[in-house]
Amino acid sequence: MESIKLKKITSVWIIAVLTLFVASIVLGILMRLNQGGVLHQAPITFYSNMTIHGITMIGIWFVAGMAGINYLMERYVKTSYTANLIALILTVSGVLMLWAVTLIGKFHTAWTFLYPLPLRVMWAQWATPTFLVAMSILATGWLIWGISMMTQVLKVYSIPQVFAWQHFKKDPAVKTPPFILISMITLVGVVTCLLVAVLLMALYFAEYFSKGNFVNDALLMKNLTYFFGHTIANEMLYLGLAVIYELFSEVGGKPKWKTTWYVALAWNFTLIFILTAFFHHLYMDFVQPEGFQIAGQIASYLASLPAAAVTVFSVWVAVYRVKIKWTLTNLLFFVGVAGWVIGGFGAVIDATISNNIVLHNTQWVPAHFHTYNILGNVLFSLGFFYWFSIQFTDKRVSEKLSRLILSLLIIGGAGFLLAFYIGGADSIPRRFSNYPAEFTTARPLANIGAVFATVYLIPILILFYNISKRCLKILFSSS
Ligand code: HEM
């Protein structure tokens, strides 16, 4: 049973995530308007905004997933409130530092902060060390949180059980709930990539303070950066999926999903291959050993396709010709799974070496990763946020308003994404603050993207108001 403290801290996470989400969407719309020539920001402002937009979006949807699984995990094992609180305090500190570093200090390396950019200071002197400290603080807080949850699960389930290996035989005596399996698989990846982040920061600090006596290896730094960045951006999707496996059937008034041999197999594939899929970010680095490039393509398929197949199958079986209770929560989950699969398909196309030669660093890249985020993972977490907030109050969002919210999310999201996909197919490069006249379609597409992103913002504001209001009540109630 969830404690009052857990309810309150989950409410704080939700309000913080939604607030930062609205602010970051506004930055995104400003970027699109600038690319469309409607606004005229200085390039340094555009790139500072792009940097904080990317870091914030990845950070908030990661912690949203962590807060979601922490809350639901209490159904199976006792979790640590202290670890949750430490993560919250360190996240707030890290985020404040990062917003100061980018918006005041004008640090603008993009969220990928590729070596040696952070050390080539073209911004306030204090910004680089503060950025490194902020990233270290965030990684430490999330490591403590992730390790703590893993430890608590391992107090109840053995190692073979958390990975559901007993399900490879018929009728296992102990059944691993899918939620525990997916949470654990994901936490292993999360903890591994955060350890790499800590190592990466240590290497940056070593070079920063060495005054030229120590220089890092650029290829190693790029591998470490993408090991961290790609993996965390992917794992956050799987945190959302753990929530769906736990809640989808429950919300629809149906029996809980069970772990089967193929669910266990698919997620064990994900555990192994997610850690090597990042190599697809280095296809253009010709000094990278060729074997890694091939491993990158194969791992990209094996990390995503089996998990997607079993999830789509589970959702399909749960809804096809079955009368279930539809609420805003499972509707968001349902649309989210579709968005995840479509975006994943776009990602697999890009991760195929022969295609990447054409699509590399075109707008196809923001197209596919925004798809499985704005119409995928974000909806998983919004579904959880809504479900969480209505548990403690009678008032629900009306059917009419639910329909409006979903329609605007889909129309706004699809239009915003289509502008990126068409740009990518037309070989328009990504990350330009202004487009030269030669890219004739770049500006109109950017403006169309901005209009649709504004449509997407409307239901987000409705949900922000609706969910935050209830979370504030939970926060200030005595039970
Ligand atoms: C409607 C909402 C959003 C808008 C309007 C928006 C807009 C943008 C724009 C214009 C860019 C720069 C694209 C380029 O030229 O490369 C961008 C980059 C990015 N966005 Fe979004 N975005 C939105 C939602 C999200 C979400 C939900 C996430 C993640 C969960 C996200 C993560 C990122 C990341 C990681 C980058 C790359 C930043 C970089 O290159 O350093 N965005 N976004």
Side-chain angles (χ1 to χ4, degrees), residues 441-473:
T441 52
R443 285 181 175 207
L445 281 173
N447 288 327
I448 292 170
V451 171
F452 278 100
T454 311
V455 173
Y456 180 88
L457 180 59
I458 299 167
I460 296 299
L461 287 172
I462 299 174
L463 285 171
F464 172 63
Y465 171 73
N466 209 285
I467 295 172
S468 303
K469 196 176 63 177
R470 292 202 203 96
C471 285
L472 280 173
K473 262 196 196 149

Side-chain angles (χ1 to χ4, degrees), residues 330-344:
N330 51 7
L331 282 168
L332 285 166
F333 288 163
F334 188 79
V335 177
V337 170
W340 169 54
V341 172
I342 296 168

Side-chain angles (χ1 to χ4, degrees), residues 174-412:
V174 177
K175 304 226 172 6
T176 306
F179 174 80
I180 292 293
L181 166 70
I182 301 171
S183 299
M184 202 58 184
I185 297 264
T186 310
L187 285 173
V188 172
V190 164
V191 167
T192 314
C193 76
L194 289 173
L195 286 170
V196 169
V198 172
L199 170 67
L200 188 60
M201 291 306 128
L203 290 172
Y204 267 119
F205 273 122
E207 184 167 340
Y208 183 78
F209 288 116
S210 78
K211 299 205 167 35
N213 294 324
F214 170 73
V215 176
N216 278 294
D217 179 273
L219 188 61
L220 174 68
M221 292 299 270
K222 187 164 181 184
N223 273 283
L224 292 176
T225 306
Y226 276 109
F227 187 103
F228 157 65
H230 171 84
T231 312
I232 198 158
N234 262 249
E235 297 289 2
M236 66 189 200
L237 280 158
Y238 300 142
L239 294 171
L241 285 177
V243 170
I244 291 193
Y245 272 73
E246 179 66 16
L247 291 182
F248 193 91
S249 53
E250 181 180 315
V251 173
K254 294 286 162 193
K256 259 196 163 38
W257 292 355
K258 294 197 173 72
T259 302
T260 55
W261 68 266
Y262 52 86
V263 169
L265 186 67
W267 283 99
N268 275 271
F269 262 61
T270 302
L271 169 72
I272 302 164
F273 293 108
I274 190 82
L275 299 178
T276 40
F278 80 92
F279 284 132
H280 64 221
H281 283 277
L282 287 100
Y283 288 157
M284 293 294 153
D285 296 86
F286 301 112
V287 286
Q288 180 88 332
E290 200 177 281
F292 288 176
Q293 313 287 37
I294 296 163
Q297 178 168 324
I298 296 170
S300 304
Y301 293 169
L302 293 180
S304 54
L305 295 181
V310 294
T311 306
V312 170
F313 179 69
S314 306
V315 171
W316 186 248
V317 169
V319 298
Y320 184 64
R321 295 197 175 168
V322 180
K323 220 172 154 34
I324 70 164
K325 208 168 85 206
W326 284 105
T327 66
L328 184 56
T329 302
N330 51 7
L331 282 168
L332 285 166
F333 288 163
F334 188 79
V335 177
V337 170
W340 169 54
V341 172
I342 296 168
F345 196 63
V348 166
I349 290 177
D350 194 22
T352 305
I353 295 174
S354 52
N355 301 335
N356 192 268
I357 290 169
V358 180
L359 296 173
H360 195 88
N361 268 348
T362 63
Q363 288 192 346
W364 190 270
V365 181
H368 77 66
F369 74 69
H370 278 99
T371 311
Y372 51 70
N373 281 305
I374 71 166
L375 285 185
N377 191 33
V378 168
L379 304 198
F380 300 164
S381 284
L382 287 179
F384 168 75
F385 290 177
Y386 177 69
W387 171 85
F388 169 84
S389 75
I390 57 169
Q391 274 194 102
F392 312 106
T393 141
D394 295 335
K395 283 210 173 140
R396 308 262 186 281
V397 167
S398 70
E399 237 179 69
K400 218 166 124 193
L401 187 58
S402 296
R403 263 203 299 271
L404 179 75
I405 289 173
L406 276 169
S407 312
L408 292 178
L409 280 175
I410 295 171
I411 295 169

